[in-house]
Amino acid sequence: MTDTSQARTDAASRATLGKAADENFPVAPFFLPRAWRDDLMAVYGFARLVDDIGDGDLAPGGADARHLGLAPETARDRLAFLDAFETDLRRVFDGTPRHPLLRGLQPTVRRCGLTPEPFLGLVAANRQDQQVGRYETYDDLLAYCELSANPVGRLVLGITGTDTPERIRRSDEICTALQIVEHLQDVAEDLARDRIYLPAEDLKRFHVTESDLARPTAGASVRALIAFEAERARALLDAGAPLVSSVHGRLRLLLAGFTAGGLAALDAITDAGFDVLTGPPKATKPSLMRQAGAVLLRARKEG
């Protein structure tokens, strides 16, 4: 690889990893041990890249496609792009991957004994996004979150060596809630991609049509629907909160940050009057710190 090609590769990888700052919660905060931070960023880089492929946010002729051996015309087919990425992902576990972010992931996988399943779940979720744009029931949406969100929490527990069946169950509740919160923030953006992550049965219940979701501001029925879904997410976060008290030290701070990020985002949605159509309501730093303190106080009482 020439120096110029390597520079482009490094820049593309930095751009992918740089998106961590835009998340609702800290991906790899400074207070964690360096090894954990490196491993979490390696997993984040994978998850962010597969999302970018699924959302069509990568240039067909860009470095990511070239690393996977895809011609630009093939890379325009997101399913083909995801298939090539999955093939390279499998090399993480039994060979040498071609993509630099996947090569960077390999030491984490080996050091932490991570299995392919969570990674394959994230790829499957993005493949599903190419084929499914509507969800009839809440249970259908939960099944999607099992692929799109829950693997991330399981990977965090795997990296920190704290995965037990009970913790995985609580983690799944938190991760599903965080995914629902993100869907609520991004209703307009998702609709522009011809995706609706609000269950059709709920749209009918609140007399909301797809045309209502396409308006520049939310009417009363849309606001009522968003409030209902936000309360569901809040209940899931509350149910999963004992995960925080089940661990100690810096890991407790990390998991409190995840949970607080979801709660602060819900506060932002509430403060916006549940009008998510004017733009994604974003958590403020004071709200995030306040919620983190509340989560940690609860954990102290429970622990």
Side-chain angles (χ1 to χ4, degrees):
M1 181 182 290
T2 67
D3 290 343
T4 301
S5 297
Q6 182 64 55
R8 288 199 200 99
T9 295
D10 292 344
S13 297
R14 285 196 301 272
T16 297
L17 295 171
K19 295 177 182 179
D22 296 328
E23 301 294 342
N24 279 331
F25 44 87
V27 173
F30 70 92
F31 56 76
L32 293 180
R34 178 62 183 269
W36 283 7
R37 293 204 312 271
D38 290 346
D39 290 337
L40 288 169
M41 286 305 295
V43 167
Y44 175 81
F46 166 84
R48 185 68 265 171
L49 181 57
V50 74
D51 278 352
D52 286 347
I53 294 171
D55 288 340
D57 291 339
L58 299 177
D64 296 291
R66 292 197 302 272
H67 283 306
L68 299 175
L70 290 175
E73 58 273 17
T74 305
R76 289 188 180 90
D77 182 339
R78 296 182 197 177
L79 287 172
F81 207 148
L82 287 167
D83 287 346
F85 187 71
E86 181 178 320
T87 297
D88 206 35
L89 166 64
R90 293 181 184 276
R91 295 188 186 105
V92 170
F93 299 90
D94 61 10
T96 302
R98 302 174 62 170
H99 196 287
L101 275 174
L102 293 180
R103 288 199 299 273
L105 177 65
Q106 197 166 43
T108 292
V109 164
R110 291 175 174 171
R111 182 165 50 247
C112 302
L114 303 179
T115 63
E117 285 74 22
F119 299 99
L120 292 171
L122 293 172
V123 176
N126 279 272
R127 189 176 287 115
Q128 185 167 313
D129 277 334
Q130 312 312 310
Q131 301 165 322
V132 180
R134 307 291 187 275
Y135 292 86
E136 182 61 34
T137 68
Y138 182 59
D139 285 344
D140 292 338
L141 184 64
L142 293 181
Y144 169 75
C145 293
E146 177 69 20
L147 297 173
S148 68
N150 297 358
V152 175
R154 296 182 183 201
L155 287 168
V156 171
L157 294 177
I159 285 170
T160 57
T162 54
D163 47 341
T164 66
E166 176 64 13
R167 286 185 180 134
I168 288 172
R169 183 175 71 83
R170 299 291 190 185
S171 171
D172 286 353
E173 291 168 330
I174 291 173
C175 289
T176 291
L178 294 175
Q179 179 74 90
I180 291 173
V181 170
E182 184 177 325
H183 289 160
L184 297 181
Q185 290 174 304
D186 295 339
V187 169
E189 179 182 328
D190 289 334
L191 186 61
R193 300 180 189 272
D194 196 27
R195 299 174 190 164
I196 297 177
Y197 295 102
L198 302 167
E201 64 181 7
D202 296 340
L203 268 69
K204 294 173 186 174
R205 174 179 176 182
F206 287 90
H207 308 289
V208 172
T209 66
E210 291 193 16
S211 296
D212 294 327
L213 299 179
R215 296 181 184 278
T217 60
S221 58
V222 172
R223 291 172 188 253
L225 169 62
I226 298 301
F228 174 74
E229 305 297 352
E231 187 54 37
R232 273 180 161 168
R234 196 178 294 276
L236 281 169
L237 286 171
D238 186 62
L243 172 67
V244 181
S245 63
S246 76
V247 298
H248 301 280
R250 300 181 197 184
L251 181 56
R252 177 176 285 189
L253 292 176
L254 177 67
L255 299 184
F258 290 166
T259 307
L263 291 169
L266 286 172
D267 286 345
I269 291 170
T270 302
D271 291 344
F274 303 103
D275 184 358
V276 296
L277 302 186
T278 58
K282 294 296 185 181
T284 64
K285 188 171 183 179
S287 176
L288 179 59
M289 297 304 293
R290 183 171 59 253
Q291 289 291 1
V295 172
L296 287 169
L297 179 60
R298 173 178 170 174
R300 194 173 301 119
K301 290 177 179 178
E302 291 177 344

